[in-house]
Amino acid sequence: MANLSLRRARTIIRKAIEHGRANDMKPLSVIVLDEGGNVQAFEREDDAAPGRFQIAHGKAYGTVMLGMAGTAQMARAEAQAYFIAAANGAYGGNLIPVPGGVLVRDAKGRVLGAVGVTGDTSDNDAAAAKAGIEAVGLVAEI
């Protein structure tokens, strides 16, 4: 059974950052959460803003807790702002419903956790997360 071991989480982070460097992105911060929303691993590149942990965490946390990627959360916020506002209140203001929060699934579709990336544009952040997730043989839902 696939899982998000610490080894896999670290590889996801390394590959996401490598993707960022290969694509001339701004310094990234990357977090991996398990299926319960617990921090598995986090790294912030040199010169990344110091507050990026909270942003990466908010992107990933909303993703895993709502079971929908950041892109879907943003669409939901645009269509039903009251729902995302209520969910954000229920989760203590910890949601950041934008791209860059990416669900991690195994080959059977089971949610294993989420990755949150921040530092560049939200779409670039999501692409970096996807690269990291796919590098460990898992499925990224952006």
Side-chain angles (χ1 to χ4, degrees), residues 49-110:
R52 291 294 179 170
F53 174 86
Q54 290 83 354
I55 296 170
H57 183 269
K59 287 182 175 188
Y61 190 74
T63 295
V64 76
M65 298 310 282
L66 294 174
M68 66 173 73
T71 302
Q73 289 178 63
M74 187 170 79
R76 184 81 182 261
E78 290 169 348
Q80 296 176 312
Y82 58 87
F83 172 78
I84 293 296
N88 203 12
Y91 293 120
N94 289 314
L95 307 184
I96 299 182
V98 297
V102 179
L103 273 175
V104 179
R105 294 185 183 271
D106 66 14
K108 294 181 179 181
R110 185 175 75 98

Side-chain angles (χ1 to χ4, degrees), residues 37-58:
N38 302 296
V39 176
Q40 190 74 13
F42 170 78
E43 286 190 26
R44 181 177 65 86
E45 279 192 278
D46 294 341
D47 298 323
R52 291 294 179 170
F53 174 86
Q54 290 83 354
I55 296 170
H57 183 269

